[in-house]
């Protein structure tokens, strides 16, 4: 069975500081991994995905994530936080077989001016 | 182009009233469709998913049901709403040729 764990339900960073949102996955085979962002009262928007190509994945809005099999991690980073990055972020995993997605509980990012 | 629609955007209903939320997709055929619920300040809970017309899988027992009367239409229903049914309901799908889920704009349901 697949699952993801997001460490830290709330993260606060100063504007211009590094953003690091943590996600660890559990899967018996290398999974597909995703990061989504959700702004208030909106649906989830895909930030980036890992599907077994390059382990460092670049997404929209300057975000990137690195797949580390040895650590079963897929942490999301951005070198310099912007006020507009304040939102809820979800990590998700999809098995190689089947079409079910499993979401983490989310991390709320606050950017302090 | 492939797009997903949800309506209504917001809904306020009294306890015990029926519910019908609709999700439709365009630009594809035979998509996998999903209904999720977000309670206030909480993560996503998968309610139902469908791989084809009339094929519905339920993830959790609840007061809700789902139907897929047409290939690109997915409906979430209830005969009698409970206070605990309040939340943000999201429809999602996997567009043809892609491997990620994409989400509709959501419906904010408040049960009073």
């Amino acid at each position: 069975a697949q699952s993801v764990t997001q460490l830290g339900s709330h993260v606060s960073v100063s504007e211009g500081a590094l953003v690091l949102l943590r996600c660890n996955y559990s899967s018996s085979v290398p999974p597909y991994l995703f990061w989504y962002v959700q702004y208030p009262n909106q649906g989830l928007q895909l930030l980036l995905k890992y599907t077994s190509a390059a382990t460092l994945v670049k997404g929209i809005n300057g975000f990137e994530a690195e797949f580390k099999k040895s650590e079963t991690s897929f942490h999301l980073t951005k070198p310099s936080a912007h006020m507009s990055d304040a939102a809820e972020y979800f990590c998700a995993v999809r098995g190689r077989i089947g079409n079910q997605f499993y979401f983490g509980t989310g991390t709320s990012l606050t950017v302090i001016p | 182009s492939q797009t997903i629609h949800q309506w209504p955007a917001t809904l306020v209903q009294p306890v015990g009233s029926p519910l019908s939320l609709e999700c439709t997709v365009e630009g594809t055929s035979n998509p996998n469709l999903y209904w999720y619920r977000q309670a206030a300040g909480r993560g996503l809970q998968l309610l139902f998913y469908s791989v084809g017309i009339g094929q519905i899988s339920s993830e959790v027992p609840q007061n809700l049901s789902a139907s897929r009367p047409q290939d690109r239409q997915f409906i979430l229903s209830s005969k009698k709403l409970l206070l605990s049914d309040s939340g943000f309901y999201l429809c999602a799908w996997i567009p043809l040729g892609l491997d990620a889920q994409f989400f509709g704009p959501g419906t904010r349901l408040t049960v009073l």
Side-chain angles (χ1 to χ4, degrees):
Chain A
Q2 290 91 23
S3 66
V4 291
T5 301
Q6 290 184 245
L7 300 176
S9 58
H10 294 88
V11 171
S12 293
V13 300
S14 298
E15 189 175 14
L18 171 71
V19 175
L20 171 60
L21 305 182
R22 298 177 187 274
C23 174
N24 287 89
Y25 69 90
S26 174
S27 177
S28 56
V29 296
Y32 291 162
L33 292 160
F34 308 85
W35 275 100
Y36 289 84
V37 61
Q38 185 182 32
Y39 299 100
N41 293 311
Q42 295 185 24
L44 277 67
Q45 179 182 2
L46 181 67
L47 272 178
L48 50 77
K49 63 181 181 181
Y50 167 77
T51 56
S52 81
T55 55
L56 181 62
V57 182
K58 294 187 183 296
I60 62 172
N61 302 339
F63 284 94
E64 62 182 37
E66 186 172 8
F67 172 72
K68 291 187 176 181
K69 184 178 178 180
S70 60
E71 299 177 7
T72 61
S73 68
F74 191 57
H75 301 329
L76 182 70
T77 60
K78 182 174 180 177
S80 177
H82 192 274
M83 295 299 294
S84 61
D85 294 327
E88 189 86 13
Y89 291 81
F90 292 92
C91 181
V93 62
R94 173 188 178 187
R96 295 278 167 169
I97 300 174
N99 293 316
Q100 286 220 47
F101 285 67
Y102 300 90
F103 286 82
T105 51
T107 297
S108 177
L109 176 66
T110 300
V111 182
I112 304 167
Chain B
S1 63
Q2 300 184 93
T3 57
I4 182 170
H5 304 278
Q6 268 188 261
W7 63 88
T10 60
L11 192 59
V12 180
Q13 292 285 98
V15 170
S17 64
L19 172 73
S20 181
L21 302 181
E22 189 164 346
C23 172
T24 60
V25 298
E26 296 179 0
T28 189
S29 60
N30 197 31
N32 290 326
L33 296 170
Y34 307 79
W35 277 112
Y36 290 90
R37 176 170 61 198
Q38 269 186 308
R42 304 180 73 174
L44 291 164
Q45 178 186 29
L46 178 62
L47 301 175
F48 301 95
Y49 69 95
S50 173
V51 299
I53 295 175
Q55 300 179 64
I56 309 293
S57 296
S58 174
E59 287 298 297
V60 293
Q62 57 208 322
N63 184 43
L64 302 169
S65 62
S67 62
R68 187 166 174 177
Q70 300 180 41
D71 182 43
R72 288 171 283 182
Q73 184 184 36
F74 202 23
I75 297 174
L76 185 68
S77 304
S78 174
K79 293 182 179 179
K80 290 185 178 182
L81 283 168
L82 305 172
L83 287 174
S84 58
D85 291 324
S86 292
F88 193 51
Y89 288 82
L90 290 160
C91 183
W93 69 316
I94 302 176
L96 185 65
L98 300 179
D99 44 34
Q101 274 190 342
F102 289 83
F103 287 79
T107 296
R108 174 72 60 191
L109 172 66
T110 303
V111 182
L112 301 175

